[in-house]
C-alpha cells in the first residue's frame, strides 16, 4: 500500500497532517454513486435503501473516526487510484475532512432511521442533503462540511466552562 502523504508540523509530528485533495474527491464520487443508488432503490424498497444507506453511514463513521486515509474509500483510493496518478500537487488538512464525514454520517443516520421506520420522506430528504454535499465536493471540489468546520471549531474554543 502506498505511503500516505503527510505534511508534519514544525515539531515533526503528523498531528496537522494533510492529504492529497484527489483522495477526498474520489471518495465524494463513490459516495455520490452510493447515495444515488440509495434514492433509486428507495423507490422499490425503502428497507433495502435503509440498509444500503446504513453501509454508507458506517463508511462516514469510519472516516470521521480515523480520517480520510484510513477510511474505506481512502484505502481504495490509495490502492487502486493513487498509484496511477502523478505526484501530489495540492493538499488539504485532515480535521475539516473528518468533520465533514461526521456531518455526512449524521444525515445518513437520519436517512436510515427514516427508511427503516417507514418515514420514507425523511429518509429521502436526508439522503438528498447528503447527496447534494457529496456531489458539490466531487464535481467542483467544494466541501460543505469543510467550510462549516472553522465556525464550529471557533465555537468549541469559546465555549464557557460551566462548574
Amino acid at each position: 500500500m502506498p505511503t500516505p502523504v503527510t505534511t508534519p508540523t514544525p515539531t515533526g509530528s503528523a498531528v496537522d497532517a494533510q492529504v492529497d485533495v484527489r483522495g477526498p474527491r474520489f471518495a465524494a464520487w463513490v459516495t455520490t454513486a452510493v447515495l444515488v443508488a440509495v434514492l433509486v432503490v428507495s423507490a422499490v424498497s425503502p428497507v433495502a435503501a435503509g440498509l444500503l444507506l446504513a453501509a454508507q453511514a458506517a463508511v462516514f463513521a469510519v472516516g470521521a473516526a480515523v480520517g480520510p486515509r484510513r477510511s474505506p474509500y481512502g484505502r481504495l483510493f490509495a490502492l487502486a487510484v493513487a498509484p496511477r496518478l502523478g505526484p501530489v500537487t495540492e493538499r488539504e488538512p485532515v480535521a475539516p475532512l473528518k468533520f465533514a464525514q461526521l456531518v455526512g454520517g449524521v444525515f445518513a443516520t437520519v436517512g436510515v432511521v427514516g427508511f427503516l421506520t417507514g418515514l420514507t420522506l425523511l429518509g429521502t430528504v436526508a439522503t438528498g442533503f447528503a447527496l447534494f454535499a457529496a456531489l458539490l465536493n466531487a464535481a467542483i471540489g467544494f466541501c460543505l462540511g469543510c467550510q462549516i468546520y472553522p465556525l464550529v471549531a471557533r465555537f468549541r474554543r469559546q465555549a464557557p466552562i460551566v462548574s
Side-chain angles (χ1 to χ4, degrees):
M1 182 156 95
T3 305
V5 176
T6 61
T7 304
T9 60
T11 60
S13 73
V15 172
D16 294 335
Q18 297 197 350
V19 294
D20 180 350
V21 297
R22 299 171 297 185
R25 286 193 71 182
F26 169 80
W29 277 118
V30 176
T31 300
T32 296
V34 171
L35 295 174
V36 166
V38 167
L39 292 176
V40 169
V41 169
S42 73
V44 178
S45 171
V47 172
L51 295 175
L52 181 57
L53 188 56
Q56 179 59 52
V59 170
F60 280 138
V62 170
V66 300
R69 271 186 237 93
R70 292 185 288 165
S71 72
Y73 301 157
R75 289 185 183 271
L76 180 61
F77 174 78
L79 288 172
V81 179
R84 293 170 172 74
L85 300 175
V88 178
T89 59
E90 189 178 350
R91 294 174 177 84
E92 61 187 328
V94 169
L97 295 168
K98 289 174 75 172
F99 177 75
Q101 292 291 294
L102 176 65
V103 172
V106 168
F107 278 100
T109 300
V110 169
V112 169
V113 169
F115 286 129
L116 296 182
T117 61
L119 299 170
T120 307
L121 181 60
L122 176 63
T124 301
V125 169
T127 303
F129 279 124
L131 174 58
F132 175 73
L135 188 56
L136 268 178
N137 192 0
I140 63 172
F142 184 85
C143 175
L144 200 53
C146 298
Q147 298 303 314
I148 297 169
Y149 175 77
L151 178 65
V152 172
R154 186 175 326 143
F155 282 128
R156 282 183 40 188
R157 283 192 302 267
Q158 294 177 355
I161 298 174
V162 179
S163 57

